[in-house]
Amino acid sequence: MNRKKIEELLKILDENKEHWLKAINSSREMVLSNLAMLSQEPSETFEEENRAALVLERFIASGIFEPQTDEVSNVIGIIPGKHEESNILLFSHMDHQQSMSEIDRSISISKDRVTGYGVSEDNIALSILITLPDILQRLDISYNSNIVLLAASRHHGRGDLEGIRKYVRQHKNKTDFCINLVGTPLGTVNYFSLSRVRCDINCTIDAEPHNPWGKNTNISANLVINDIMNRLFSIPLPRQPKTVINLGMITGGNRYSTVSTQAQIKLEVLSENDEIMEKVIDQIHDGCVDISAKYGVEVTSDFFGRHKAGGVSYSHPLVKSAVGIVKNLGYRPLMTYNDSALAVPLSASIPSIGIGMTTGMLSSGSKGYIDISPMPTGILQLIMLLYAIDKGYCYE
Amino acid sequence: MNDIQSWLEKRRFHHSQFRDLKNLMELKEKMGTTISLCFPTLNEESTIGKSIIICKAELMDRYPLIDEIAVIDSGSTDRTCEIAQEFGAATYSAAEHLPEEGFYKGKGENLWKALYLLKGDIIVYIDADIRNIHHRFAYGLIGPLLTHSDIKFVKAFYKRPVVSAKGLHASGGGRVTEILVRPLFSQFFPDLAALIQPLSGEYAGYRSIFEQIPFPIGYGVETGMLIDIFQKWGLDIIAQTDLDQRVHRNQSIISLGKMSFGILQTFWNRLKKYKGIEGIDPESFALRQIITHGLNPPEMSEIKIEEMERKPIIEVENYVKKMQELKK
């Protein structure tokens, strides 16, 4: 996409900006109301049914024709386009990791901020997604393309992006573009994904070992895990293509006074190159087998959450449009990889992009927050990007 | 007992029966009724924003069922009023209105002044400290009023898990209800013992009812209101709606003691008025409580709690004038 075309797009958007922003501002309470209700509905990964029911109810209330859920609790709604020749998928995930029965899931809304568990990651994005039909109505905008709204299930951890994977598997041939809405930060432009795998390494020691080598030696599972960590550190990782191993979590043992019989490492490997990733996976697996034999204890390595490197390049008109829009709205584009849901449509060769909805602070606990005042700009960015795709500015 | 049983069945609803908001809206239009929603507040900055946003977005913007949302405040020192205004609620300081009637600090005072400040034929009162607020708290109470012409006052009931530092816990809920109010009702107003949560802070009713009863200004407002409505119009105009679950902060026994002290004063007044029982005026309005701090010897605390009452607002000249002007 040449510079002239971008300028042409931004000029059209500039003409509509004020009017659109006014209409978006008038839907602020609706977005926040949906956010509050979503936040109050627990939706742990694999247990998204209640939140899915709320999303479905919201779609029905917005007048979406025949919204539906599928067997993995994805909720899908379509805003039909005038020509219905192309389909733009808009998605955000519905689930959260932490069990909500043990925490107070109530959020707090002040004049300028919404604070609480899951607000910034990514309930605000889901809230905007489900309010979009009302927002478009207020804007009096209708697109030529179908806008497919997907509230995706099973995003986190062992859910392994099953919701978006299932949708893309079934509809990849009918999806022309994909936009992944994330909570924060505003300015985010994700357009490529890394090769990724996650792995749980478990060491378990029988209380009464039958193996003579292990008998009466008081081997601690923590000690074994320490050895595995040393082995992981010795795996040669190239600078180019960049590859990293991140030891996300380590747990082990029960008490001060007992020898640990169980320990675990949860790690993630990221790489720019799929072949290197395969080699690293083999090395981790072999190392675990080796240490298992050496100590005479059970060490398992369970790999999951695998997706391949992919993406579009910066020169793709979708990326250029998104970057141009972010700059036009006065924000700095934060161009980076996405190691999560966006990888799924990208690896199916669907031109895809991830954008942030507002500013705020990510937190796995209840201290995360989003700022209210930049939120309309985040929504405006989405409306502009949909316009750009719909009017053909993002085709190569 | 049979009558009570039949009342319980006839007059008990679930909020889901009224989730068709379009239908409620049409009923309201047909009846030519207006509805006001009131949040009485005192330092509720952590919950008021959410309460207003949800009710406004769902019951004014999406389905115009409610005509106005107002916050009546007792003098918050936090950002309650600022937040309420930001999200579009009319915000009133109770002290600044009807000054000729003076000002008392208390929830009942806010509810009473709301009758003067709000315009609706139906008034919905919702406490502003609900952590899991949902618009069902309003439409679940409005529903029976719009669908049953003989119902004039609706009380909420719900499950009440409490929030502590460790999270949410199931709770029997309503310790003051079960230890104080229900036993008293059972003895003196047995029909009212059928109210599942007589002290719930969420209720809706017709102005024509509220304006004719006195309002205790403090802890006794719910108890007094129930007894007065029951005595004046009978049980059949009262209904109760199940709102599922209401999450709230657990209160200490000391706080519940204060609440009980206020409720008892309201109760004695009603016994005198309706049962002709004399000689039960409290000797003192000072509540004495024993406070213990760790291993230190117990200490006696004394706090004055005098449950003042507002006369029926229909007896206030400026109220009558304002209502007449509104009718014009």
Side-chain angles (χ1 to χ4, degrees):
Chain A
M1 190 185 202
N2 61 35
R3 208 172 292 168
K4 216 169 171 190
K5 204 97 170 116
I6 285 272
E7 279 167 12
E8 179 191 310
L9 168 69
L10 294 178
K11 198 177 161 206
I12 298 169
L13 296 177
D14 269 336
E15 285 163 11
N16 290 292
K17 199 152 79 177
E18 204 178 318
H19 152 67
W20 284 351
L21 199 55
K22 205 173 158 193
I24 290 168
N25 276 326
S26 74
S27 55
R28 181 186 66 162
E29 275 83 16
M30 225 171 241
V31 174
L32 295 176
S33 170
N34 282 334
L35 171 61
M37 285 199 271
L38 285 169
S39 303
Q40 285 168 189
E41 204 60 72
S43 183
E44 209 176 337
T45 309
F46 294 111
E47 292 169 18
E48 296 99 339
E49 292 82 4
N50 289 345
R51 192 173 284 186
L54 174 64
V55 171
L56 194 64
E57 183 209 304
R58 297 281 91 182
F59 279 172
I60 292 167
S62 304
I64 282 196
F65 183 65
E66 290 185 355
Q68 50 186 287
T69 54
D70 62 17
E71 62 271 27
V72 298
S73 293
N74 276 330
V75 189
I76 303 149
I78 300 175
I79 305 171
K82 282 186 283 196
H83 299 151
E84 299 193 11
E85 282 162 4
S86 53
N87 297 292
I88 305 169
L89 172 67
L90 220 65
F91 78 99
S92 186
H93 71 89
M94 269 194 299
D95 54 327
H96 55 78
Q97 286 173 294
Q98 208 165 333
S99 166
M100 297 291 261
S101 58
E102 291 170 11
I103 58 166
D104 179 11
R105 56 181 175 266
S106 172
I107 64 165
S108 171
I109 302 179
S110 69
K111 200 175 159 188
D112 40 23
R113 199 175 263 192
V114 185
T115 310
Y117 182 77
V119 161
S120 48
E121 197 186 13
D122 288 301
N123 291 352
I124 183 60
L126 182 62
S127 172
I128 289 169
L129 181 107
I130 66 175
T131 319
L132 191 67
D134 292 300
I135 297 171
L136 292 178
Q137 224 166 32
R138 281 166 194 251
L139 287 164
D140 200 19
I141 285 183
S142 51
Y143 295 108
N144 292 326
S145 320
N146 294 323
I147 310 291
V148 182
L149 305 174
L150 169 67
S153 64
R154 303 186 186 181
H155 171 93
H156 285 295
R158 289 288 177 166
D160 195 16
L161 311 172
E162 192 176 344
I164 181 67
R165 281 187 205 278
K166 182 173 186 302
Y167 183 87
V168 169
R169 224 173 16 246
Q170 286 180 341
H171 301 278
K172 66 178 171 190
N173 296 331
K174 290 186 225 151
T175 306
D176 299 283
F177 288 93
C178 177
I179 304 174
N180 178 205
L181 303 185
V182 299
T184 60
L186 179 53
T188 299
V189 181
N190 293 331
Y191 61 95
F192 63 95
S193 65
L194 297 172
S195 186
R196 187 197 80 174
V197 75
R198 286 176 175 170
C199 177
D200 288 351
I201 298 174
N202 279 295
C203 171
T204 313
I205 298 174
D206 285 343
E208 293 287 333
H210 300 295
N211 182 328
W213 180 249
K215 199 163 189 176
N216 300 324
T217 51
N218 276 347
I219 298 168
S220 158
N222 292 347
L223 192 70
V224 177
I225 282 291
N226 180 58
D227 222 5
I228 291 170
M229 277 178 11
N230 289 336
R231 184 68 67 101
L232 292 172
F233 292 139
S234 70
I235 294 173
L237 301 173
R239 278 190 181 175
Q240 290 295 336
K242 190 177 171 183
T243 303
V244 295
I245 297 177
N246 180 50
L247 302 181
M249 281 181 270
I250 301 170
T251 54
N254 289 317
R255 305 168 67 177
Y256 287 105
S257 57
T258 54
V259 175
S260 162
T261 57
Q262 202 280 329
Q264 188 180 53
I265 302 176
K266 289 173 184 270
L267 62 89
E268 183 177 79
V269 187
L270 297 172
S271 178
E272 290 171 336
N273 184 288
D274 289 320
E275 277 175 34
I276 291 172
M277 174 63 82
E278 292 304 327
K279 280 184 195 159
V280 173
I281 290 173
D282 285 345
Q283 281 171 297
I284 293 173
H285 174 261
D286 293 350
C288 290
V289 173
D290 211 14
I291 286 173
S292 170
K294 180 177 152 193
Y295 284 96
V297 299
E298 187 185 341
V299 177
T300 59
S301 52
D302 180 13
F303 293 90
F304 64 101
R306 176 84 174 97
H307 56 68
K308 296 192 170 180
V312 288
S313 72
Y314 176 71
S315 61
H316 194 286
L318 177 65
V319 182
K320 290 225 162 164
S321 300
V323 168
I325 289 167
V326 167
K327 282 183 184 165
N328 180 269
L329 294 173
Y331 283 83
R332 190 168 61 89
L334 305 164
M335 288 174 287
T336 179
Y337 71 92
N338 178 291
D339 68 344
S340 186
L342 195 66
V344 178
L346 281 174
S347 55
S349 303
I350 300 169
S352 306
I353 205 153
I355 57 173
M357 290 291 101
T358 185
T359 57
M361 188 183 82
L362 289 174
S363 162
S364 58
S366 57
K367 290 193 174 145
Y369 68 83
I370 57 129
D371 297 313
I372 294 175
S373 59
M375 188 182 73
T377 308
I379 298 172
L380 179 62
Q381 163 203 218
L382 170 63
I383 300 295
M384 286 175 159
L385 191 56
L386 284 173
Y387 179 92
I389 296 171
D390 190 59
K391 297 293 175 205
Y393 286 93
C394 298
Y395 285 89
E396 270 186 312
Chain B
M1 189 65 185
N2 280 345
D3 283 352
I4 285 293
Q5 200 55 43
S6 121
W7 176 83
L8 262 173
E9 281 160 25
K10 250 182 20 199
R11 292 292 192 241
R12 187 176 57 206
F13 301 95
H14 188 269
H15 67 83
S16 59
Q17 291 171 256
F18 310 107
R19 72 156 63 115
D20 183 352
L21 298 179
K22 218 169 152 201
N23 177 47
L24 287 187
M25 236 170 62
E26 283 164 8
L27 282 172
K28 179 199 155 196
E29 265 171 40
K30 209 184 279 177
M31 292 162 71
T33 306
T34 51
I35 303 175
S36 301
L37 170 58
C38 167
F39 291 103
T41 57
L42 176 64
N43 295 330
E44 305 289 1
E45 68 177 1
S46 66
T47 44
I48 190 65
K50 193 166 61 168
S51 302
I52 291 168
I53 280 168
I54 289 183
C55 291
K56 184 170 178 288
E58 304 303 323
L59 302 176
M60 286 181 89
D61 296 349
R62 195 186 291 278
Y63 296 105
L65 180 66
I66 285 175
D67 299 279
E68 64 177 334
I69 297 180
V71 161
I72 316 287
D73 188 70
S74 313
S76 292
T77 50
D78 64 6
R79 298 173 74 195
T80 300
C81 296
E82 193 188 333
I83 293 169
Q85 272 170 346
E86 172 69 21
F87 295 116
T91 305
Y92 303 99
S93 160
E96 289 169 12
H97 297 276
L98 283 179
E100 65 281 6
E101 297 294 324
F103 170 65
Y104 297 110
K105 201 165 182 170
K107 177 185 165 187
E109 174 82 356
N110 296 7
L111 304 186
W112 187 72
K113 286 199 171 162
L115 294 173
Y116 173 76
L117 292 163
L118 304 184
K119 300 179 189 78
D121 304 313
I122 289 173
I123 313 283
V124 186
Y125 293 116
I126 297 183
D127 277 351
D129 65 342
I130 303 174
R131 299 172 73 79
N132 62 326
I133 185 75
H134 184 276
H135 52 301
R136 68 173 185 271
F137 281 83
Y139 72 70
L141 298 172
I142 295 167
L145 296 170
L146 295 180
T147 53
H148 295 70
S149 58
D150 47 353
I151 294 175
K152 304 291 179 195
F153 177 68
V154 184
K155 281 286 281 190
F157 71 95
Y158 24 63
K159 291 184 226 52
R160 296 164 27 114
V162 294
V163 177
S164 71
K166 289 181 179 170
L168 291 178
H169 302 278
S171 133
R175 284 168 286 175
V176 176
T177 295
E178 299 308 333
I179 292 168
L180 179 76
V181 175
R182 204 181 308 282
L184 282 174
F185 278 170
S186 300
Q187 287 185 36
F188 297 101
F189 303 97
D191 285 356
L192 290 179
L195 267 294
I196 295 166
Q197 254 146 20
L199 298 184
S200 67
E202 291 71 40
Y203 30 88
Y206 280 90
R207 172 184 291 278
S208 54
I209 297 285
F210 290 132
E211 66 185 6
Q212 293 187 58
I213 57 171
F215 275 61
I217 56 132
Y219 297 112
V221 64
E222 279 84 18
T223 312
M225 187 183 283
L226 254 185
I227 298 174
D228 292 335
I229 291 175
F230 169 69
Q231 285 295 125
K232 217 169 164 71
W233 292 282
L235 198 59
D236 276 344
I237 73 152
I238 302 173
Q240 47 189 348
T241 300
D242 184 351
L243 298 180
D244 277 349
Q245 181 167 288
R246 182 196 196 282
V247 183
H248 65 112
R249 282 251 165 240
N250 199 18
Q251 293 202 57
S252 68
I253 285 289
I254 293 294
S255 303
L256 297 183
K258 291 174 189 162
M259 187 191 287
S260 301
F261 192 76
I263 289 172
L264 275 173
Q265 291 177 45
T266 303
F267 203 85
W268 304 147
N269 283 338
R270 298 314 183 264
L271 284 185
K272 265 165 60 180
K273 186 172 169 186
Y274 298 120
K275 305 286 179 185
I277 300 174
E278 293 296 333
I280 51 169
D281 290 326
E283 273 186 31
S284 159
F285 291 109
L287 168 65
R288 291 179 171 179
Q289 292 179 303
I290 304 297
I291 313 286
T292 49
H293 299 288
L295 296 174
N296 296 330
E299 285 170 21
M300 167 95 76
S301 82
E302 197 168 287
I303 178 170
K304 193 178 171 210
I305 300 172
E306 190 172 358
E307 193 73 15
M308 307 299 290
E309 293 207 15
R310 286 296 196 176
K311 61 187 173 190
I313 204 163
I314 196 83
E315 295 170 18
V316 174
E317 201 184 325
N318 279 335
Y319 171 79
V320 176
K321 260 193 220 165
K322 189 173 175 191
M323 288 304 116
Q324 280 166 353
E325 274 166 30
L326 277 179
K327 273 180 195 161
K328 280 180 204 166

